[in-house]
Amino acid sequence: MVSLSLMVSMIMYTCGFYIYSSSRKHLLMLLLGLEYMVLSIFVLVVLYLMFFMKSLFFLVLFLVLSVCEGSLGLSILVSMVRSHGSDFFNSFSLMW
């Protein structure tokens, strides 16, 4: 059971990394790939802490930091859409 969960989590991380590294047009797809990777790391940490009978308090800290990362990414997305009209990376220039 643990090995199956470990394999599924590693496949999830690999898929998230592929989405994160291959999508260079939309910021939203980049953020979704990043959140998918964070979710797979969360599953790995849960498996690790339960296997070694450790305290699960670290999960609360991990979830708080991942929510802060997600909200920061969404705020950057909203400000980008408001200022440039879309989330395409090609629609704006970084050399102002």
Coordinates of all heavy atoms in Angstrom, one line a residue:
M1 N 0.8 -1.2 0.0 CA 0.0 0.0 0.0 C 0.9 1.3 0.0 O 0.6 2.2 -0.7 CB -0.9 0.0 1.2 CG -1.9 1.1 1.3 SD -3.1 1.0 0.0 CE -3.9 2.5 0.3
V2 N 1.9 1.2 0.8 CA 2.8 2.4 0.9 C 3.6 2.6 -0.4 O 3.7 3.7 -0.9 CB 3.7 2.3 2.1 CG1 4.7 3.4 2.1 CG2 2.9 2.3 3.4
S3 N 4.0 1.5 -0.9 CA 4.8 1.6 -2.2 C 4.0 2.1 -3.3 O 4.4 2.8 -4.2 CB 5.5 0.2 -2.5 OG 4.5 -0.7 -2.8
L4 N 2.7 1.7 -3.4 CA 1.8 2.2 -4.4 C 1.5 3.7 -4.2 O 1.6 4.4 -5.2 CB 0.4 1.4 -4.3 CG -0.6 1.9 -5.3 CD1 -0.2 1.5 -6.8 CD2 -1.9 1.2 -5.0
S5 N 1.3 4.1 -3.0 CA 1.1 5.5 -2.8 C 2.4 6.3 -3.1 O 2.3 7.4 -3.7 CB 0.8 5.8 -1.3 OG -0.4 5.1 -1.0
L6 N 3.5 5.8 -2.8 CA 4.8 6.4 -3.1 C 5.0 6.5 -4.6 O 5.4 7.6 -5.2 CB 6.0 5.6 -2.5 CG 7.4 6.2 -2.7 CD1 7.5 7.5 -2.0 CD2 8.4 5.2 -2.2
M7 N 4.7 5.5 -5.4 CA 4.8 5.5 -6.8 C 3.8 6.5 -7.5 O 4.2 7.2 -8.4 CB 4.6 4.1 -7.4 CG 4.8 4.1 -8.9 SD 4.7 2.4 -9.6 CE 6.0 1.6 -8.7
V8 N 2.6 6.5 -7.0 CA 1.6 7.5 -7.5 C 2.0 8.9 -7.2 O 1.9 9.8 -8.1 CB 0.2 7.2 -6.9 CG1 -0.8 8.3 -7.1 CG2 -0.4 5.9 -7.4
S9 N 2.6 9.2 -6.0 CA 3.1 10.5 -5.7 C 4.2 10.9 -6.6 O 4.3 12.1 -7.0 CB 3.4 10.6 -4.2 OG 3.9 11.8 -3.9
M10 N 5.1 10.0 -6.9 CA 6.3 10.3 -7.7 C 5.8 10.6 -9.2 O 6.3 11.5 -9.9 CB 7.3 9.2 -7.7 CG 8.0 9.1 -6.4 SD 8.8 10.6 -5.9 CE 10.4 10.1 -6.0
I11 N 4.8 9.8 -9.6 CA 4.3 10.1 -11.0 C 3.6 11.4 -11.0 O 3.7 12.2 -12.0 CB 3.3 8.9 -11.4 CG1 4.1 7.7 -11.6 CG2 2.5 9.3 -12.6 CD1 3.3 6.4 -11.8
M12 N 2.9 11.8 -9.9 CA 2.2 13.1 -9.9 C 3.3 14.2 -9.9 O 3.1 15.2 -10.6 CB 1.4 13.2 -8.6 CG 0.1 12.5 -8.5 SD -0.7 12.6 -6.9 CE -0.8 14.3 -6.6
Y13 N 4.4 14.0 -9.2 CA 5.4 15.0 -9.2 C 6.0 15.2 -10.6 O 6.3 16.3 -11.0 CB 6.5 14.7 -8.2 CG 7.5 15.8 -8.0 CD1 7.3 16.9 -7.3 CD2 8.7 15.7 -8.7 CE1 8.2 17.9 -7.1 CE2 9.7 16.7 -8.6 CZ 9.4 17.8 -7.8 OH 10.3 18.8 -7.7
T14 N 6.3 14.1 -11.2 CA 6.8 14.1 -12.6 C 5.9 14.8 -13.6 O 6.4 15.6 -14.4 CB 7.2 12.7 -13.1 OG1 8.0 12.0 -12.1 CG2 7.9 12.7 -14.4
C15 N 4.6 14.5 -13.5 CA 3.6 15.1 -14.4 C 3.6 16.6 -14.1 O 3.5 17.4 -15.0 CB 2.3 14.5 -14.2 SG 2.1 12.8 -14.8
G16 N 3.6 17.0 -12.8 CA 3.6 18.4 -12.5 C 4.8 19.2 -12.9 O 4.7 20.3 -13.4
F17 N 5.9 18.5 -12.8 CA 7.2 19.1 -13.3 C 7.2 19.3 -14.8 O 7.6 20.2 -15.4 CB 8.4 18.3 -12.8 CG 9.7 18.9 -13.2 CD1 10.1 20.0 -12.5 CD2 10.5 18.5 -14.2 CE1 11.3 20.7 -12.8 CE2 11.7 19.1 -14.6 CZ 12.1 20.2 -13.9
Y18 N 6.6 18.3 -15.5 CA 6.5 18.4 -17.0 C 5.6 19.5 -17.4 O 5.9 20.3 -18.3 CB 6.0 17.0 -17.6 CG 5.8 17.1 -19.0 CD1 6.9 17.1 -19.9 CD2 4.5 17.2 -19.6 CE1 6.7 17.2 -21.3 CE2 4.3 17.3 -20.9 CZ 5.4 17.3 -21.8 OH 5.2 17.4 -23.1
I19 N 4.5 19.7 -16.7 CA 3.5 20.8 -17.0 C 4.2 22.1 -16.7 O 4.1 23.1 -17.5 CB 2.2 20.6 -16.2 CG1 1.4 19.4 -16.7 CG2 1.4 21.9 -16.3 CD1 0.3 19.1 -15.8
Y20 N 4.9 22.2 -15.6 CA 5.6 23.4 -15.2 C 6.7 23.8 -16.2 O 6.9 25.0 -16.5 CB 6.2 23.2 -13.8 CG 6.9 24.5 -13.2 CD1 6.1 25.5 -12.8 CD2 8.3 24.5 -13.2 CE1 6.7 26.7 -12.3 CE2 8.9 25.7 -12.7 CZ 8.1 26.7 -12.2 OH 8.7 27.8 -11.7
S21 N 7.4 22.8 -16.7 CA 8.6 23.1 -17.5 C 8.2 23.3 -19.0 O 8.9 23.9 -19.8 CB 9.6 22.1 -17.4 OG 9.2 20.8 -17.8
S22 N 7.0 22.7 -19.4 CA 6.7 22.8 -20.8 C 5.7 23.9 -21.2 O 5.7 24.3 -22.3 CB 6.0 21.4 -21.3 OG 4.8 21.3 -20.6
S23 N 5.0 24.4 -20.2 CA 4.0 25.5 -20.6 C 4.7 26.8 -20.4 O 4.9 27.2 -19.2 CB 2.7 25.4 -19.7 OG 3.0 25.6 -18.4
R24 N 5.0 27.5 -21.4 CA 5.6 28.8 -21.3 C 4.8 29.9 -21.9 O 5.2 31.0 -22.1 CB 7.0 28.7 -22.1 CG 7.9 27.8 -21.5 CD 9.2 27.8 -22.1 NE 10.1 26.9 -21.4 CZ 11.1 26.3 -22.0 NH1 11.4 26.6 -23.2 NH2 11.9 25.5 -21.3
K25 N 3.5 29.6 -22.2 CA 2.7 30.6 -22.8 C 1.7 31.3 -21.7 O 1.6 32.5 -21.8 CB 1.8 30.1 -23.9 CG 2.6 29.7 -25.1 CD 1.7 29.2 -26.2 CE 2.5 28.8 -27.4 NZ 1.7 28.3 -28.5
H26 N 1.2 30.5 -20.9 CA 0.2 31.0 -19.9 C 0.7 30.9 -18.5 O 1.3 29.8 -18.1 CB -1.1 30.2 -20.0 CG -1.8 30.3 -21.3 ND1 -2.5 31.5 -21.6 CD2 -1.9 29.5 -22.4 CE1 -3.1 31.3 -22.8 NE2 -2.7 30.1 -23.3
L27 N 0.5 31.9 -17.7 CA 0.9 31.9 -16.3 C 0.0 31.0 -15.5 O 0.5 30.4 -14.6 CB 0.9 33.4 -15.8 CG 1.3 33.5 -14.3 CD1 2.8 33.2 -14.2 CD2 1.1 34.9 -13.9
L28 N -1.2 30.9 -15.9 CA -2.2 30.1 -15.1 C -1.8 28.6 -15.2 O -1.8 27.9 -14.2 CB -3.6 30.3 -15.6 CG -4.7 29.5 -14.8 CD1 -4.7 30.0 -13.4 CD2 -6.0 29.7 -15.5
M29 N -1.3 28.1 -16.3 CA -0.9 26.7 -16.5 C 0.4 26.5 -15.7 O 0.6 25.4 -15.1 CB -0.7 26.4 -17.9 CG -2.0 26.2 -18.7 SD -3.0 24.9 -18.0 CE -2.1 23.5 -18.3
L30 N 1.2 27.5 -15.6 CA 2.5 27.4 -14.8 C 2.1 27.3 -13.4 O 2.7 26.4 -12.6 CB 3.3 28.6 -15.1 CG 4.8 28.5 -14.8 CD1 5.5 28.3 -16.1 CD2 5.2 29.8 -14.1
L31 N 1.2 28.1 -12.9 CA 0.8 28.0 -11.5 C 0.1 26.7 -11.1 O 0.3 26.1 -10.0 CB -0.1 29.2 -11.1 CG 0.5 30.5 -11.1 CD1 -0.5 31.6 -11.0 CD2 1.6 30.6 -10.1
L32 N -0.7 26.2 -12.1 CA -1.4 24.9 -11.8 C -0.4 23.7 -11.7 O -0.5 22.8 -10.9 CB -2.4 24.6 -12.9 CG -3.7 25.4 -12.8 CD1 -4.6 25.1 -14.0 CD2 -4.4 25.1 -11.5
G33 N 0.6 23.8 -12.6 CA 1.7 22.7 -12.5 C 2.4 22.8 -11.2 O 2.8 21.8 -10.6
L34 N 2.7 24.0 -10.7 CA 3.4 24.2 -9.5 C 2.6 23.7 -8.3 O 3.1 23.1 -7.4 CB 3.7 25.7 -9.3 CG 4.7 26.1 -8.2 CD1 6.1 25.5 -8.5 CD2 4.8 27.6 -8.1
E35 N 1.3 24.0 -8.3 CA 0.4 23.5 -7.2 C 0.3 22.0 -7.3 O 0.1 21.4 -6.2 CB -1.0 24.2 -7.3 CG -1.0 25.6 -7.0 CD -0.6 25.9 -5.5 OE1 -1.0 25.1 -4.6 OE2 0.2 26.8 -5.3
Y36 N 0.3 21.4 -8.4 CA 0.3 19.9 -8.5 C 1.5 19.3 -7.9 O 1.5 18.3 -7.3 CB 0.1 19.6 -10.0 CG -0.4 18.2 -10.3 CD1 -1.7 17.9 -9.9 CD2 0.3 17.2 -10.9 CE1 -2.2 16.6 -10.1 CE2 -0.2 16.0 -11.1 CZ -1.4 15.7 -10.7 OH -1.9 14.4 -10.9
M37 N 2.6 20.0 -8.1 CA 3.9 19.5 -7.5 C 3.8 19.6 -6.0 O 4.3 18.7 -5.3 CB 5.1 20.3 -8.1 CG 5.4 19.9 -9.5 SD 6.6 21.0 -10.3 CE 7.9 21.1 -9.1
V38 N 3.3 20.7 -5.5 CA 3.2 20.9 -4.1 C 2.2 19.8 -3.5 O 2.5 19.3 -2.4 CB 2.7 22.3 -3.8 CG1 2.2 22.5 -2.3 CG2 3.7 23.3 -4.1
L39 N 1.2 19.5 -4.2 CA 0.3 18.5 -3.7 C 0.9 17.1 -3.6 O 0.8 16.4 -2.6 CB -1.0 18.4 -4.6 CG -2.1 17.4 -4.2 CD1 -2.7 17.8 -2.9 CD2 -3.1 17.3 -5.3
S40 N 1.8 16.8 -4.6 CA 2.5 15.5 -4.6 C 3.5 15.5 -3.4 O 3.7 14.4 -2.8 CB 3.1 15.2 -5.9 OG 4.1 16.1 -6.2
I41 N 4.2 16.6 -3.2 CA 5.1 16.7 -2.1 C 4.4 16.5 -0.8 O 4.9 15.9 0.2 CB 5.9 18.0 -2.2 CG1 6.9 17.9 -3.4 CG2 6.7 18.2 -0.9 CD1 7.6 19.2 -3.6
F42 N 3.2 17.1 -0.7 CA 2.4 16.9 0.5 C 2.1 15.5 0.8 O 2.2 15.0 1.9 CB 1.1 17.7 0.4 CG 0.2 17.6 1.6 CD1 0.5 18.2 2.8 CD2 -1.0 16.9 1.5 CE1 -0.4 18.1 3.9 CE2 -1.8 16.7 2.6 CZ -1.5 17.3 3.8
V43 N 1.7 14.7 -0.2 CA 1.4 13.3 -0.1 C 2.7 12.5 0.4 O 2.6 11.6 1.2 CB 0.8 12.7 -1.4 CG1 0.8 11.2 -1.3 CG2 -0.5 13.3 -1.7
L44 N 3.8 12.9 -0.2 CA 5.1 12.3 0.2 C 5.4 12.5 1.7 O 5.9 11.6 2.4 CB 6.2 12.7 -0.7 CG 6.3 12.1 -2.1 CD1 7.4 12.8 -2.9 CD2 6.6 10.6 -1.9
V45 N 5.2 13.7 2.1 CA 5.5 14.1 3.5 C 4.5 13.4 4.4 O 4.9 12.9 5.5 CB 5.4 15.6 3.7 CG1 5.4 16.0 5.2 CG2 6.5 16.3 3.0
V46 N 3.2 13.2 4.1 CA 2.3 12.5 4.9 C 2.7 11.0 5.0 O 2.7 10.4 6.1 CB 0.9 12.6 4.3 CG1 -0.1 11.6 4.9 CG2 0.3 14.0 4.4
L47 N 3.1 10.4 3.9 CA 3.6 9.0 3.9 C 4.8 8.9 4.8 O 5.0 7.9 5.6 CB 3.9 8.5 2.5 CG 2.7 8.3 1.6 CD1 3.1 8.0 0.2 CD2 1.8 7.2 2.2
Y48 N 5.8 9.8 4.7 CA 7.0 9.8 5.5 C 6.7 9.9 7.0 O 7.2 9.1 7.8 CB 7.9 10.9 5.0 CG 9.2 11.0 5.9 CD1 10.2 10.1 5.7 CD2 9.3 12.0 6.8 CE1 11.4 10.2 6.5 CE2 10.4 12.1 7.6 CZ 11.5 11.2 7.4 OH 12.6 11.3 8.2
L49 N 5.9 10.9 7.3 CA 5.6 11.1 8.7 C 4.8 9.9 9.3 O 5.0 9.6 10.5 CB 4.9 12.4 8.9 CG 5.7 13.6 8.7 CD1 4.9 14.9 8.8 CD2 6.9 13.7 9.6
M50 N 3.9 9.3 8.6 CA 3.1 8.2 9.1 C 4.0 6.9 9.2 O 3.8 6.1 10.1 CB 1.9 8.0 8.3 CG 0.8 9.0 8.4 SD -0.7 8.6 7.6 CE -1.8 9.4 8.7
F51 N 4.9 6.8 8.3 CA 5.7 5.6 8.3 C 6.7 5.6 9.5 O 6.9 4.5 10.1 CB 6.5 5.5 7.0 CG 7.3 4.3 6.8 CD1 6.7 3.0 6.6 CD2 8.7 4.3 6.9 CE1 7.5 1.9 6.4 CE2 9.5 3.1 6.8 CZ 8.9 1.9 6.6
F52 N 7.2 6.7 9.8 CA 8.1 6.8 10.9 C 7.5 7.2 12.2 O 8.2 7.5 13.2 CB 9.3 7.7 10.6 CG 10.2 7.2 9.6 CD1 10.3 7.7 8.4 CD2 11.0 6.0 9.9 CE1 11.2 7.2 7.4 CE2 11.9 5.5 9.0 CZ 11.9 6.1 7.7
M53 N 6.2 7.3 12.3 CA 5.4 7.6 13.5 C 5.8 8.9 14.1 O 6.0 9.0 15.3 CB 5.5 6.5 14.5 CG 5.1 5.1 14.1 SD 3.4 5.0 13.8 CE 3.2 3.3 13.4
K54 N 5.9 9.9 13.3 CA 6.3 11.2 13.7 C 5.1 12.1 13.9 O 4.0 11.7 13.5 CB 7.3 11.9 12.7 CG 8.5 11.2 12.5 CD 9.5 11.3 13.7 CE 10.8 10.6 13.3 NZ 11.7 10.7 14.4
S55 N 5.3 13.3 14.5 CA 4.2 14.2 14.7 C 3.8 14.8 13.4 O 4.6 15.1 12.5 CB 4.7 15.3 15.7 OG 3.7 16.3 15.8
L56 N 2.5 15.0 13.3 CA 1.9 15.6 12.0 C 1.8 17.1 12.1 O 1.1 17.7 11.2 CB 0.6 14.9 11.7 CG 0.6 13.4 11.5 CD1 -0.8 12.9 11.3 CD2 1.5 13.0 10.4
F57 N 2.4 17.7 13.0 CA 2.4 19.2 13.1 C 3.0 19.9 12.0 O 2.6 21.0 11.6 CB 3.0 19.7 14.5 CG 2.9 21.1 14.6 CD1 1.8 21.8 14.9 CD2 4.1 21.9 14.5 CE1 1.7 23.1 15.1 CE2 4.1 23.3 14.6 CZ 2.9 23.9 14.9
F58 N 4.0 19.2 11.4 CA 4.8 19.8 10.3 C 3.8 20.0 9.1 O 4.0 20.9 8.2 CB 5.9 18.9 9.9 CG 6.7 19.4 8.7 CD1 7.5 20.5 8.8 CD2 6.6 18.8 7.5 CE1 8.2 21.0 7.7 CE2 7.3 19.2 6.4 CZ 8.1 20.3 6.5
L59 N 2.8 19.1 9.0 CA 1.9 19.2 7.8 C 1.1 20.5 7.9 O 0.8 21.1 6.8 CB 0.9 18.1 7.9 CG 1.5 16.7 7.6 CD1 0.4 15.6 7.7 CD2 2.1 16.7 6.2
V60 N 0.8 21.0 9.0 CA 0.1 22.3 9.2 C 0.9 23.4 8.6 O 0.5 24.3 7.9 CB -0.4 22.5 10.6 CG1 -1.0 23.9 10.8 CG2 -1.3 21.5 11.1
L61 N 2.2 23.4 9.0 CA 3.1 24.4 8.6 C 3.3 24.3 7.0 O 3.3 25.4 6.4 CB 4.5 24.3 9.3 CG 5.6 25.2 8.9 CD1 5.2 26.6 9.3 CD2 6.9 24.8 9.5
F62 N 3.4 23.1 6.5 CA 3.6 23.0 5.1 C 2.3 23.5 4.3 O 2.5 24.1 3.3 CB 3.8 21.5 4.8 CG 4.1 21.2 3.3 CD1 5.3 21.4 2.8 CD2 3.1 20.7 2.5 CE1 5.6 21.2 1.5 CE2 3.3 20.5 1.2 CZ 4.6 20.7 0.7
L63 N 1.2 23.2 4.8 CA -0.1 23.7 4.2 C -0.2 25.2 4.2 O -0.6 25.8 3.3 CB -1.3 23.0 4.8 CG -1.6 21.6 4.5 CD1 -2.8 21.1 5.2 CD2 -1.8 21.4 3.0
V64 N 0.2 25.8 5.3 CA 0.2 27.2 5.4 C 1.1 27.9 4.4 O 0.7 28.8 3.7 CB 0.5 27.7 6.9 CG1 0.8 29.2 6.9 CG2 -0.6 27.4 7.8
L65 N 2.3 27.4 4.3 CA 3.3 27.9 3.3 C 2.8 27.7 1.9 O 3.0 28.5 1.0 CB 4.6 27.3 3.6 CG 5.3 27.8 4.9 CD1 6.7 27.1 5.0 CD2 5.5 29.3 4.9
S66 N 2.2 26.5 1.6 CA 1.7 26.3 0.2 C 0.5 27.2 -0.1 O 0.4 27.6 -1.3 CB 1.4 24.8 0.0 OG 0.3 24.4 0.9
V67 N -0.3 27.4 0.9 CA -1.4 28.3 0.6 C -0.9 29.8 0.4 O -1.4 30.5 -0.5 CB -2.5 28.3 1.8 CG1 -3.4 29.4 1.7 CG2 -3.2 27.0 1.7
C68 N 0.1 30.2 1.1 CA 0.7 31.5 0.9 C 1.3 31.6 -0.5 O 1.2 32.6 -1.2 CB 1.7 31.8 2.0 SG 1.0 32.1 3.6
E69 N 1.9 30.5 -0.9 CA 2.5 30.5 -2.3 C 1.5 30.6 -3.3 O 1.6 31.3 -4.3 CB 3.4 29.2 -2.4 CG 4.0 29.0 -3.8 CD 3.2 28.0 -4.5 OE1 2.5 27.1 -4.0 OE2 3.2 28.1 -5.8
G70 N 0.4 29.9 -3.1 CA -0.7 29.9 -4.1 C -1.4 31.3 -4.2 O -1.7 31.7 -5.3
S71 N -1.6 31.9 -3.0 CA -2.2 33.2 -3.1 C -1.3 34.3 -3.7 O -1.8 35.2 -4.4 CB -2.7 33.6 -1.7 OG -1.5 33.8 -0.8
L72 N 0.0 34.1 -3.4 CA 0.9 35.1 -4.1 C 0.9 34.9 -5.6 O 0.9 35.9 -6.3 CB 2.3 34.8 -3.5 CG 3.4 35.8 -4.0 CD1 3.1 37.2 -3.6 CD2 4.8 35.3 -3.5
G73 N 0.9 33.7 -6.1 CA 0.8 33.4 -7.5 C -0.4 33.9 -8.1 O -0.4 34.5 -9.2
L74 N -1.6 33.8 -7.4 CA -2.8 34.3 -8.0 C -2.9 35.8 -8.0 O -3.4 36.4 -8.9 CB -4.0 33.7 -7.2 CG -4.3 32.3 -7.4 CD1 -5.5 31.8 -6.5 CD2 -4.7 32.1 -8.9
S75 N -2.3 36.4 -7.0 CA -2.2 37.9 -7.0 C -1.4 38.4 -8.1 O -1.7 39.4 -8.7 CB -1.7 38.4 -5.6 OG -0.4 38.1 -5.4
I76 N -0.3 37.7 -8.4 CA 0.6 38.1 -9.6 C -0.2 37.9 -10.8 O -0.2 38.8 -11.7 CB 1.9 37.3 -9.6 CG1 2.8 37.8 -8.4 CG2 2.6 37.5 -10.9 CD1 4.0 36.9 -8.2
L77 N -1.0 36.8 -10.9 CA -1.8 36.6 -12.1 C -2.9 37.7 -12.3 O -3.1 38.2 -13.4 CB -2.5 35.2 -12.0 CG -3.4 34.9 -13.1 CD1 -2.6 34.6 -14.4 CD2 -4.2 33.6 -12.8
V78 N -3.5 38.1 -11.2 CA -4.6 39.1 -11.3 C -4.0 40.4 -11.7 O -4.5 41.2 -12.6 CB -5.3 39.2 -10.0 CG1 -6.2 40.5 -9.9 CG2 -6.2 38.0 -9.8
S79 N -2.8 40.8 -11.1 CA -2.2 42.1 -11.5 C -1.7 42.1 -12.9 O -1.8 43.1 -13.6 CB -1.1 42.4 -10.5 OG 0.0 41.5 -10.7
M80 N -1.3 40.9 -13.4 CA -0.8 40.8 -14.8 C -2.0 40.9 -15.8 O -1.9 41.6 -16.8 CB -0.1 39.5 -15.0 CG 0.5 39.3 -16.3 SD 1.4 37.8 -16.3 CE 1.5 37.5 -18.1
V81 N -3.1 40.3 -15.4 CA -4.3 40.4 -16.3 C -4.9 41.8 -16.3 O -5.3 42.3 -17.3 CB -5.4 39.4 -15.8 CG1 -6.7 39.6 -16.5 CG2 -4.9 38.0 -16.1
R82 N -4.8 42.5 -15.1 CA -5.3 43.8 -15.1 C -4.5 44.8 -15.9 O -5.0 45.7 -16.5 CB -5.5 44.3 -13.6 CG -6.6 43.8 -12.9 CD -6.8 44.4 -11.6 NE -7.9 43.8 -10.9 CZ -8.3 44.1 -9.7 NH1 -7.5 45.0 -9.0 NH2 -9.3 43.6 -9.1
S83 N -3.2 44.6 -15.8 CA -2.3 45.6 -16.5 C -2.1 45.3 -18.0 O -1.9 46.2 -18.8 CB -0.9 45.6 -15.8 OG -0.3 44.4 -15.9
H84 N -2.1 44.0 -18.4 CA -1.8 43.7 -19.7 C -3.0 43.0 -20.5 O -2.9 42.8 -21.7 CB -0.6 42.7 -19.8 CG 0.6 43.3 -19.2 ND1 1.3 44.3 -19.9 CD2 1.3 43.0 -18.1 CE1 2.4 44.6 -19.1 NE2 2.4 43.8 -18.0
G85 N -4.0 42.7 -19.8 CA -5.2 42.2 -20.5 C -5.3 40.7 -20.7 O -6.3 40.1 -21.0
S86 N -4.2 39.9 -20.5 CA -4.2 38.5 -20.6 C -3.1 37.9 -19.8 O -2.2 38.6 -19.2 CB -4.1 38.0 -22.0 OG -2.9 38.3 -22.5
D87 N -3.0 36.6 -19.7 CA -1.9 36.0 -19.0 C -0.9 35.4 -20.0 O 0.0 34.6 -19.6 CB -2.4 34.9 -18.0 CG -3.0 33.7 -18.8 OD1 -3.5 33.8 -19.9 OD2 -3.0 32.6 -18.2
F88 N -0.9 35.8 -21.2 CA 0.2 35.4 -22.2 C 1.5 36.0 -21.8 O 1.5 37.2 -21.5 CB -0.2 35.8 -23.6 CG -1.3 35.0 -24.2 CD1 -2.4 35.6 -24.7 CD2 -1.2 33.6 -24.3 CE1 -3.4 34.9 -25.3 CE2 -2.2 32.9 -24.9 CZ -3.3 33.6 -25.4
F89 N 2.6 35.3 -21.8 CA 3.9 35.9 -21.6 C 4.3 36.7 -22.8 O 5.2 37.6 -22.6 CB 4.9 34.8 -21.3 CG 4.8 34.3 -19.9 CD1 4.7 32.9 -19.7 CD2 4.9 35.1 -18.8 CE1 4.6 32.4 -18.4 CE2 4.8 34.6 -17.5 CZ 4.7 33.3 -17.3
N90 N 3.9 36.4 -24.0 CA 4.3 37.2 -25.1 C 3.6 38.5 -25.3 O 4.0 39.3 -26.1 CB 4.0 36.3 -26.4 CG 4.8 35.1 -26.4 OD1 5.9 35.0 -25.8 ND2 4.4 34.1 -27.2
S91 N 2.6 38.8 -24.5 CA 1.8 40.0 -24.7 C 2.4 41.2 -23.9 O 1.9 42.3 -24.0 CB 0.3 39.8 -24.2 OG 0.3 39.6 -22.8
F92 N 3.4 41.0 -23.1 CA 4.0 42.1 -22.4 C 5.6 42.0 -22.5 O 6.1 40.9 -22.8 CB 3.6 42.1 -21.0 CG 4.1 41.0 -20.1 CD1 5.2 41.3 -19.3 CD2 3.5 39.8 -20.1 CE1 5.7 40.3 -18.5 CE2 4.0 38.8 -19.3 CZ 5.1 39.0 -18.5
S93 N 6.2 43.1 -22.3 CA 7.6 43.1 -22.4 C 8.2 43.4 -21.0 O 7.7 44.3 -20.3 CB 8.1 44.2 -23.4 OG 9.5 44.4 -23.3
L94 N 9.2 42.7 -20.6 CA 9.9 42.9 -19.3 C 10.9 44.1 -19.4 O 11.4 44.5 -18.4 CB 10.5 41.7 -18.9 CG 9.6 40.5 -18.5 CD1 10.4 39.3 -18.2 CD2 8.7 40.9 -17.4
M95 N 11.2 44.5 -20.6 CA 12.2 45.6 -20.8 C 11.6 46.9 -20.9 O 11.7 47.5 -22.0 CB 13.1 45.2 -22.0 CG 13.7 43.8 -22.0 SD 14.9 43.6 -20.6 CE 16.3 44.3 -21.4
W96 N 11.0 47.5 -19.9 CA 10.3 48.8 -20.0 C 11.3 49.8 -19.7 O 11.9 50.0 -18.8 CB 9.1 48.9 -19.0 CG 7.9 48.1 -19.5 CD1 7.8 47.3 -20.6 CD2 6.7 48.1 -18.9 NE1 6.6 46.8 -20.7 CE2 5.9 47.3 -19.6 CE3 6.2 48.7 -17.7 CZ2 4.5 47.0 -19.3 CZ3 4.9 48.4 -17.4 CH2 4.1 47.6 -18.2

